[in-house]
Amino acid sequence: MDPQNSTNDVNAEENMLLTHARTLRIHTGNLVNRNRLKKKCPSSPSEELRDCIQATLSDWLSMTKPPSEDLTDTLDCSVPQATDVITPEEREEVKVSVKLFLCDPIQSSIRDAVELGCQTLAVSQLDSVIIAPPALVEGDSLTLAHLQPTWEELETLVRSQRIAAIGTSDLDKDLLEQLHTWAQVKPSSNQVNLASCCVMPPDLTAFAKEFDIQLLTHSDPKELMSAAAFQEAVQEGTQDLNVVDWRLEWVLRYSIIVKSRGIIKSKGYLVSARKTNP
């Protein structure tokens, strides 16, 4: 068989899968045990995510059987040997911490992300979820009105016991106080980006101490991944297929931490994208 014809057949199969699908779900698997990324030490969370998407799609497509006549609307892309579920025996020994980056303001995205996170890791509840709202239009400032719909959805998930504790990201003292006063389920944590704040603001520190809110640090950019960067990563992982219609919905980054030792046993990303044109 001509190698060129074989390659063309594979590309045609990939085109068929992605052309028919309306939703794309990517699970990178446990990055602690994976050595397949292009760069051993990514320079930023954005670069790490980009490399993860590219590598996962490339590996998944290389393992995917030719599509049958019944093509699916949802592509679940993961590499079986790279995944890492939590067994019932070890559940009490580990903490599942999540940061959810929203790229789409639709509130159902939060519920979908949490449900997929629980399903993927084989747990009934996430121990903590920190929310990173969608990036605002340049010049706009984050307000309580922006946060309220998102927070109400998180509160619903707390009441249904899908999440144990919920937290925020990059709120100053005034906005954190407004959210704390309004919310029925109070924020348990607030992340602060030390790239723009070398020292924790004293007013934020005092407020957090008074109301038992844990202050954490992070190095994530305001926009974890742009639309162009996502499409480029998908193109690289799928051998330059046409992906301009795909829109990133959300990114869920999880860490599984061994409580007694404080070490990260597993970490990875879940990514969801949707096709904009039917």
Side-chain angles (χ1 to χ4, degrees), residues 5-46:
N5 290 337
S6 177
T7 299
N8 290 339
D9 289 343
V10 171
N11 286 341
E13 291 165 3
E14 293 174 358
N15 265 305
M16 194 180 301
L17 285 169
L18 280 144
T19 298
H20 183 84
R22 292 295 171 263
T23 301
L24 178 64
R25 298 281 170 82
I26 302 169
H27 178 209
T28 65
N30 184 5
L31 301 183
V32 173
N33 297 330
R34 283 179 77 184
N35 298 311
R36 299 182 297 105
L37 301 184
K38 292 187 297 182
K39 303 177 180 64
K40 297 297 182 182
C41 297
S43 63
S44 68
S46 297

Side-chain angles (χ1 to χ4, degrees), residues 85-153:
V85 300
I86 300 171
T87 65
E89 294 75 21
E90 67 179 340
R91 182 62 183 100
E92 291 300 316
E93 302 172 1
V94 299
K95 176 181 180 181
V96 183
S97 296
V98 161
K99 185 169 184 180
L100 178 57
F101 301 86
L102 296 178
C103 310
D104 192 317
I106 299 175
Q107 300 314 307
S108 61
S109 296
I110 300 172
R111 183 169 60 255
D112 291 345
V114 169
E115 290 297 333
L116 186 61
C118 289
Q119 176 186 334
T120 301
L121 301 177
V123 298
S124 61
Q125 184 183 65
L126 304 177
D127 293 298
S128 70
V129 173
I130 290 174
I131 197 77
L136 298 175
V137 176
E138 189 172 353
D140 286 354
S141 298
L142 189 64
T143 66
L144 179 61
H146 288 120
L147 293 173
Q148 285 172 328
T150 297
W151 200 258
E152 287 174 336
E153 186 66 28

Side-chain angles (χ1 to χ4, degrees), residues 89-236:
E89 294 75 21
E90 67 179 340
R91 182 62 183 100
E92 291 300 316
E93 302 172 1
V94 299
K95 176 181 180 181
V96 183
S97 296
V98 161
K99 185 169 184 180
L100 178 57
F101 301 86
L102 296 178
C103 310
D104 192 317
I106 299 175
Q107 300 314 307
S108 61
S109 296
I110 300 172
R111 183 169 60 255
D112 291 345
V114 169
E115 290 297 333
L116 186 61
C118 289
Q119 176 186 334
T120 301
L121 301 177
V123 298
S124 61
Q125 184 183 65
L126 304 177
D127 293 298
S128 70
V129 173
I130 290 174
I131 197 77
L136 298 175
V137 176
E138 189 172 353
D140 286 354
S141 298
L142 189 64
T143 66
L144 179 61
H146 288 120
L147 293 173
Q148 285 172 328
T150 297
W151 200 258
E152 287 174 336
E153 186 66 28
L154 290 172
E155 290 179 326
T156 299
L157 291 165
V158 171
R159 295 189 189 98
S160 64
Q161 300 186 342
R162 279 315 222 181
I163 305 174
I166 49 181
T168 59
S169 181
D170 298 317
L171 300 194
D172 60 20
K173 182 264 182 184
D174 290 342
L175 190 50
L176 182 60
E177 183 176 8
Q178 291 175 37
L179 177 63
H180 187 274
T181 301
W182 168 83
Q184 295 183 35
V185 179
K186 308 299 183 184
S188 63
S189 61
N190 180 47
Q191 282 191 335
V192 178
N193 192 330
L194 290 185
S196 58
C197 174
C198 297
V199 180
M200 289 284 186
D203 60 344
L204 178 61
T205 302
F207 180 81
K209 183 178 181 180
E210 180 181 357
F211 291 96
D212 195 26
I213 300 173
Q214 187 179 15
L215 293 181
L216 308 169
T217 60
H218 75 97
S219 58
D220 299 314
K222 289 184 178 180
E223 185 179 41
L224 183 63
M225 173 166 275
S226 67
F230 172 71
Q231 290 175 356
E232 190 171 341
V234 174
Q235 282 181 324
E236 291 176 357

